[in-house]
Amino acid sequence: MSDAGGTTRRRGRPPRAESGDTRDRILDTAREEFSERGFEKTSVRGIAKAAGVDAALVHHYFGTKEQIFEAAIEVAFAPALEAPTAIGDGPLDRVGEQLTRFIFGIWENPTTRKPVLAIVRSAVNNDAAATVFRRLIATQVMQRVAARLDAPDAELRVELAAAQLVGCAMLRYVIRVEPLASADPERIVARLAPVVQGHLTGP
Amino acid sequence: MSDAGGTTRRRGRPPRAESGDTRDRILDTAREEFSERGFEKTSVRGIAKAAGVDAALVHHYFGTKEQIFEAAIEVAFAPALEAPTAIGDGPLDRVGEQLTRFIFGIWENPTTRKPVLAIVRSAVNNDAAATVFRRLIATQVMQRVAARLDAPDAELRVELAAAQLVGCAMLRYVIRVEPLASADPERIVARLAPVVQGHLTGP
């Protein structure tokens, strides 16, 4: 089982010229594997086999399964996190709407919905995946929003705001409770944005 | 594997006199198995073996695995749902606080936290379990609250309120994001109750 089969091209480190391509291919494959199977059922060997490389090379580039998972999440979220309108800019009295639209943008987009669903499922089921989720989401999203708030309880405010959005995503996209699941996204954004704003900047 | 081993007492239907006890024992065992393993990894055979009965008897009493899961959830939630102060009584302007305290009461109680965590994990991972969750929680909790609201969008209001509480439970008890995970429950209830109330009876 340690041999990746007929698709294995070589063992050990690749020549420098193609190492970037190989690393990207492994990462793309890891993202697909985690999306398809979730954290627990994905193995480093499975990723290596699907990418046509040796498992040792996957470890060489990324380290442990937790670290591959973290790198795969970062790749999946990069476009959303780099969007200039997402979070961290704009007037403070619209940060609630911004954050709400940011989260809905991820879930309503078919390209990002699947990886984010896999991440949520993994984090709910597995403590190691929950740790990665906590570290990454806390650092990348929550702290960026909290840094903008001039309040001693900024982090708790952001978490309670995030709770509203996470819970809505759970009931709408994962559990699919009606009428929420079929409601027009703009209608839901209009309802949630003031609530999120209230958590962040209210009294 | 179809034999429950040395603990099997008999096959087929038991005499009437002890059938109630046997049914209860199977249900208790099912609840424990689902709590320990989640929906996907729990099998009817596993429940039967742990309860010391034949799998056919489990099917005879409860039907499919989905139906056993539903019965196990109902048992786990029965004390909470039957509590007179939980939901469905009291003044309408305190329904937000009631619902918030009801949900926190389930999660803060060590006896109910484990089964509810198993239910959430199962519902997030498995469509059959999500269907059971949807049907049961929607009927038993959400519709009872919605019935009290005099609004055409009562169901959506309840779902958005539930989203705030579900999301908080996810971040606090499952993902364990700090400072939310260690915050005093009363502090969180004080923050969430007005938000939940706003969803339910606000403009």
Side-chain angles (χ1 to χ4, degrees), chain A residues 177-191:
Chain A
V177 173
E178 294 291 358
L180 180 58
S182 303
D184 179 52
E186 283 301 320
R187 187 177 177 205
I188 307 301
V189 169
R191 296 235 185 178

Side-chain angles (χ1 to χ4, degrees), chain B residues 10 15 26 95 107 117 128 146 168 196 203:
Chain B
R10 66 176 63 80
I26 294 170
V95 70
W107 282 97
L117 183 56
C168 182
V196 172

Side-chain angles (χ1 to χ4, degrees), chain A residues 25-70:
Chain A
R25 192 173 74 245
I26 294 170
L27 199 52
D28 282 348
T29 308
R31 195 162 47 119
E32 283 167 25
E33 291 283 309
F34 285 123
S35 284
E36 288 292 332
R37 302 166 198 274
F39 181 82
E40 285 195 345
K41 290 179 188 166
T42 297
S43 68
V44 175
R45 279 181 190 171
I47 293 168
K49 188 171 181 180
V53 301
D54 193 84
L57 190 62
V58 179
H59 286 299
H60 165 69
Y61 280 128
F62 298 101
T64 65
K65 181 171 139 182
E66 284 76 12
Q67 290 169 317
I68 306 168
F69 183 68
E70 186 159 352

